[in-house]
Amino acid sequence: MQLFLLIATAHFLALLSPGPDFFLVARTSASAGWRVASGACAGIALANGVFIGAAFAGVSFLRDGSPLFVALQLAGCGYLLYIGQLFLRHAGKSGLTGSAAHASSHAGSWLNSLGMGFASGILNPKNALFYASLASMTASSGALAKLAYGMWMFAIVLAWDLLVALAIGNQRVLHRFARALPWLERTSGVMLILLASGVLMHLALG
């Protein structure tokens, strides 16, 4: 039980730290509503599920410095730069979607949001290293215990992202948030570009 509490606490604290996934969910929920943003939440959770399964299975590409991991970092940087400039380019142009009619006209956006969420999660090398480190703490645990850890992590990622989407996509919050949305988009874009630049510098110097 102590090990579970330690891992669960470390995992949840990591979720509280804003990263690419948070910015994607926040921006999508603010600009298209929480229902569309729930697609991004599901995609992020699925991507985390891939890393969780790989980490507990001991897949070697999760080792820092391995060729596949470096390729994942480069692909992740490219994606972050793409999303970052997208946020900057469209800042203030998306508007807030509050009505059910407008939301229903974007039903197909849920799948697009799902794809963006999965790409954001799967191309984030920090996720791979984080889950690999957590999995190393459970080396002596049995298969059922590892399965329980994995299911818990997947559920918490999904629940937290949905909570963020619901909070930001709430109509009362959106109306108060209308003027701040362009700044959120610009800030998110800059942060994502800085994150990508930092990883690229690390790779270049390493």
Side-chain angles (χ1 to χ4, degrees):
M1 179 59 72
Q2 287 183 332
L3 180 60
F4 174 79
L5 291 176
L6 177 64
I7 291 176
T9 301
H11 183 241
F12 184 69
L13 289 176
L15 288 179
L16 296 180
S17 176
D21 296 343
F22 174 84
F23 290 123
L24 177 63
V25 171
R27 193 265 182 182
T28 304
S29 186
S31 61
W34 72 267
R35 289 180 177 82
V36 174
S38 68
C41 298
I44 291 166
L46 288 172
N48 277 258
V50 171
F51 282 130
I52 291 168
F56 283 109
V59 177
S60 61
F61 87 87
L62 295 179
R63 289 200 307 267
D64 192 10
S66 67
L68 282 176
F69 188 74
V70 171
L72 176 66
Q73 287 179 298
L74 291 174
C77 287
Y79 182 74
L80 290 181
L81 291 172
Y82 168 73
I83 293 296
Q85 63 83 27
L86 200 64
F87 282 11
L88 289 174
R89 195 170 69 222
H90 295 287
K93 298 178 182 178
S94 54
L96 298 176
T97 63
S99 68
H102 194 280
S104 64
S105 69
H106 284 271
S109 296
W110 192 91
L111 289 176
N112 182 56
S113 181
L114 174 74
M116 291 186 70
F118 184 81
S120 177
I122 206 70
L123 293 176
N124 187 348
K126 289 185 178 180
N127 286 342
L129 287 179
F130 177 65
Y131 286 117
S133 65
L134 289 184
S136 68
M137 298 170 63
T138 66
S140 60
S141 301
L144 287 178
K146 291 180 180 179
L147 179 62
Y149 285 131
M151 292 178 64
W152 171 265
M153 293 176 190
F154 176 86
I156 290 300
V157 168
L158 180 59
W160 172 252
D161 286 335
L162 285 173
L163 182 62
V164 171
L166 283 168
I168 295 178
N170 182 279
Q171 290 303 302
R172 292 180 181 178
V173 175
L174 283 178
H175 287 306
R176 295 179 181 180
F177 206 53
R179 294 182 180 178
L181 178 60
W183 291 104
L184 170 68
E185 293 178 313
R186 293 187 184 99
T187 301
S188 300
V190 170
M191 289 296 296
L192 294 176
I193 290 172
L194 288 176
L195 283 170
S197 301
V199 174
L200 288 173
M201 288 181 63
H202 173 74
L203 291 174
L205 296 175

